[in-house]
Amino acid sequence: MCILYMADPADAQKWRDCLSSMAPELEFREWPDAGNPAEVRYLLAWEPLPKFADQFCNLRVLYAAGAGVDQFDLAGLAAGVSLVRLVDDSMAGIMAEYVLFAVLALHRDILAYQQDQREGRWQPRPIVLGSQRRVGVMGLGNLGRAALGRLQPLGFQLSGWNRSLKDVPGGRCYVGPGQLDEFLAQCDIVVNMLPLTPETKGILNAATLARLPQGAGLINVGRGAHLVEQDLLAALNEGRVGGAVLDVLAQEPASPGNPFWKHPRVLLTPHIASDVQIEGGVAVIVENLQREREGRPFLNEVDRFKGY
């Protein structure tokens, strides 16, 4: 059996070593040295070449070397090929850490205090108790649920919005488009962790931002395409949104002229909220090798209809 690596060359040796240790039965090959294409059964890729499925007639699983799968053309994927996300507990934990940091930064007015520091202003602000702050998470998959679990001990009033009903510790889950406005209206801080699909593209726009309480905070760790950036900029400048923590943008890296670079109410990070952890990703591959042998469904397989 052969797995072909088609992702960041800088990480290839780490993946090779980890797979050699945990799954020695898999021969590791690195693109473009694919060898005999008919021997490639598994593909580990960030963004494979167009029509890659035509090259590898015996391909069984495409492993996504990232948290999202919106970069893949699901319609062009052969019916017998499974697309699998390499999401594990370590990756979810890292994302939850970032969400916790971002929520606390908005909750304790850190963006405002940063601006005060730059301008030499000593101006204490009233402290709001965690129990009085309403935090909502959009998208309750593995990562979203991990974030809620990390936030719960701090006493925030938690809620979630999801396509289907999921458990929200100590809070409520709002379901579907019909409950989106109601969900947003009770979020002092909203965290976007949705997968990017045609239905969620541009979901953070002038209309939805206007549903938030005056001065609410926004955290985007989903995809840049979820956010209409000009709409957020207008909302920030008008004070309708009090602050934003953005880890993803429509264009990455951000252009030199992007106003978010220097906006006093924006904290910008370079898409580092979380990433696939190699050992955890290999553990998913090893688990799926066992599941394949036993004829069981793959772990973290993407539903083509849903797009995640």
Side-chain angles (χ1 to χ4, degrees):
M1 291 187 294
C2 166
I3 185 168
L4 177 62
Y5 181 83
M6 197 181 288
D8 188 350
D11 290 333
Q13 190 59 48
K14 297 176 184 177
W15 282 98
R16 182 189 298 273
D17 293 344
C18 198
L19 280 162
S20 176
S21 173
M22 297 175 65
E25 68 271 32
L26 278 183
E27 180 188 354
F28 184 93
R29 298 177 187 174
E30 183 180 357
W31 180 264
D33 299 324
N36 182 355
E39 296 173 353
V40 176
R41 188 170 179 84
Y42 309 102
L43 184 63
L44 174 57
W46 164 245
E47 190 174 14
L49 298 175
K51 298 183 179 180
F52 71 96
D54 296 339
Q55 302 179 46
F56 307 112
C57 57
N58 292 319
L59 186 66
R60 179 69 183 91
V61 183
L62 169 59
Y63 285 104
V69 295
D70 49 278
Q71 69 273 30
F72 295 103
D73 178 15
L74 299 184
L77 201 60
V81 178
S82 296
L83 176 60
V84 171
R85 300 168 65 228
L86 293 178
V87 176
D88 74 315
D89 290 344
S90 62
M91 181 181 181
I94 292 170
M95 175 63 84
E97 289 176 357
Y98 184 96
V99 171
L100 177 60
F101 137 77
V103 167
L104 288 173
L106 295 174
H107 170 59
R108 292 303 304 267
D109 297 315
I110 299 304
L111 277 66
Y113 285 126
Q114 282 188 317
Q115 185 65 14
D116 288 347
Q117 179 181 347
R118 285 189 287 265
E119 297 177 1
R121 183 170 50 245
W122 191 272
Q123 182 177 313
R125 289 168 171 77
I127 294 175
V128 178
L129 296 177
S131 60
Q132 297 173 338
R133 188 76 76 185
R134 301 168 297 177
V135 180
V137 173
M138 303 175 71
L140 300 182
N142 294 346
L143 302 183
R145 293 195 302 274
L148 285 171
R150 194 65 61 92
L151 291 166
Q152 186 184 17
L154 277 71
F156 293 114
Q157 298 180 39
L158 300 177
S159 63
W161 181 74
N162 202 60
R163 179 172 181 164
S164 57
L165 185 65
K166 294 289 180 69
D167 181 55
V168 175
R172 175 181 172 184
C173 179
Y174 296 80
V175 180
Q179 294 188 345
L180 179 57
D181 286 355
E182 185 182 0
F183 163 76
L184 293 171
Q186 53 83 62
C187 288
D188 299 315
I189 299 172
V190 63
V191 186
N192 175 48
M193 305 185 73
L194 291 166
L196 183 61
T197 67
E199 291 75 26
T200 64
K201 184 177 181 180
I203 194 169
L204 301 172
N205 53 50
T208 51
L209 294 175
R211 300 291 186 270
L212 294 168
Q214 181 72 20
L218 169 69
I219 298 165
N220 190 16
V221 290
R223 284 288 187 265
H226 284 129
L227 174 65
V228 180
E229 294 180 2
Q230 289 302 314
D231 290 355
L232 173 60
L233 186 63
L236 286 165
N237 291 340
E238 295 167 9
R240 287 184 288 110
V241 171
V245 180
L246 306 177
D247 186 57
V248 289
L249 294 175
Q251 176 184 328
E252 297 178 3
S255 64
N258 190 311
F260 290 146
W261 278 116
K262 297 182 179 181
H263 200 288
R265 287 190 292 279
V266 173
L267 196 163
L268 188 63
T269 56
H271 206 141
I272 49 79
S274 188
D275 199 359
V276 169
Q277 301 301 293
I278 292 175
E279 187 169 335
V282 171
V284 173
I285 294 173
V286 171
E287 169 69 16
N288 279 342
L289 287 171
Q290 182 65 30
R291 287 173 176 244
E292 186 176 12
R293 285 191 289 267
E294 297 172 355
R296 294 188 289 142
F298 286 126
L299 183 67
N300 297 342
E301 183 170 1
V302 172
D303 184 319
R304 296 192 189 206
F305 177 75
K306 295 179 180 178
Y308 57 88

